[in-house]
Amino acid sequence: MSDINSRIDEIVSKDDVVLFMKGTPLFPQCGFSSRAVAILENLGVEYGSVDVLQDMEIRQGIKTYSDWPTIPQLYVKGEFQGGSDIMMEMFESGELKTLMTEKGVKEVS
Amino acid sequence: MPMAAGEIERLIKAALPDAEVEIRDLAGDGDHYAAHVVCPAFAGKARVAQHKMVYDALGGRMGGELHALQLTTAAPN
């Protein structure tokens, strides 16, 4: 068990919704991250974000942790949901909203 | 580093021979693609698993050489 995995365990259990992204929600540094932020903003849920560009250990570690090669990555209640393409498909079909409701994710007040 | 659309299609079909692959060059720069992959092997699999099968076919290029590939997957109707 490496330190990086336990660090990520901690991050994904801290907030209901966590987005690993390039940049910050205010200043996304890549189109895919920007799209992921727009989806979460549209759903109006509270979420935490991690800027992988500021942390090389997490940038590499999250790919192994999720067994997923790209950033952004979405976690809901500690479970990996997918990257921005999957988020978009789930958003358009209404599945993402349903998932957030079913998991009892807090909405932005 | 750019990768030709034909090469992406070839790699996917090498791993998933009965897949239908449609590649679009989004920006006309040979570096931003959208791929739609329809494959019987996706039936009954979650989206994450379907996308992983395509990423596996691309053999580690995804996220590196291939940064900008928008992917959608489906099983045939």
Side-chain angles (χ1 to χ4, degrees):
Chain A
M1 189 62 187
S2 66
D3 285 353
I4 180 63
N5 280 356
S6 42
R7 264 189 80 201
I8 295 173
D9 276 339
E10 208 168 296
I11 293 169
V12 300
S13 56
K14 199 167 131 296
D15 293 298
D16 282 359
V17 180
V18 182
L19 184 68
F20 292 86
M21 62 179 292
K22 292 181 179 167
T24 63
L26 276 179
F27 296 103
Q29 298 295 316
C30 133
F32 293 95
S33 289
S34 173
R35 202 155 61 119
V37 165
I39 290 170
L40 292 176
E41 296 288 338
N42 192 292
L43 289 171
V45 291
E46 281 184 13
Y47 65 96
S49 67
V50 178
D51 180 0
V52 302
L53 299 178
Q54 301 299 321
D55 195 323
M56 286 321 274
E57 199 184 40
I58 289 200
R59 185 177 184 174
Q60 285 314 312
I62 191 65
K63 294 180 183 176
T64 313
Y65 185 90
S66 314
D67 187 22
W68 193 257
T70 56
I71 313 278
Q73 297 187 10
L74 179 72
Y75 274 81
V76 178
K77 295 269 181 175
E79 277 172 37
F80 176 59
Q81 302 299 324
S84 65
D85 296 326
I86 288 179
M87 283 178 74
M88 187 50 101
E89 278 186 73
M90 288 179 78
F91 175 68
E92 284 175 344
S93 67
E95 277 166 81
L96 201 53
K97 189 166 184 59
T98 308
L99 176 84
M100 299 289 183
T101 311
E102 278 175 358
K103 299 262 183 190
V105 169
K106 278 195 254 28
E107 291 191 10
V108 176
S109 42
Chain B
M1 213 175 43
M3 203 170 147
E7 178 66 2
I8 300 172
E9 186 173 339
R10 191 188 64 78
L11 287 166
I12 296 174
K13 284 201 163 158
L16 304 165
D18 48 1
E20 275 172 46
V21 183
E22 205 186 293
I23 312 257
R24 277 189 306 133
D25 187 336
L26 293 175
D29 61 357
D31 201 22
H32 296 76
Y33 297 104
H36 184 59
V37 183
V38 179
C39 180
F42 294 159
K45 293 206 162 64
R47 280 198 194 92
V48 168
Q50 297 180 3
H51 282 223
K52 267 185 189 161
M53 287 166 78
V54 176
Y55 291 160
D56 285 348
L58 295 169
R61 289 169 184 83
M62 195 63 205
E65 234 175 292
L66 253 181
H67 162 69
L69 179 69
Q70 241 173 274
L71 180 63
T72 48
T73 55
N77 285 325

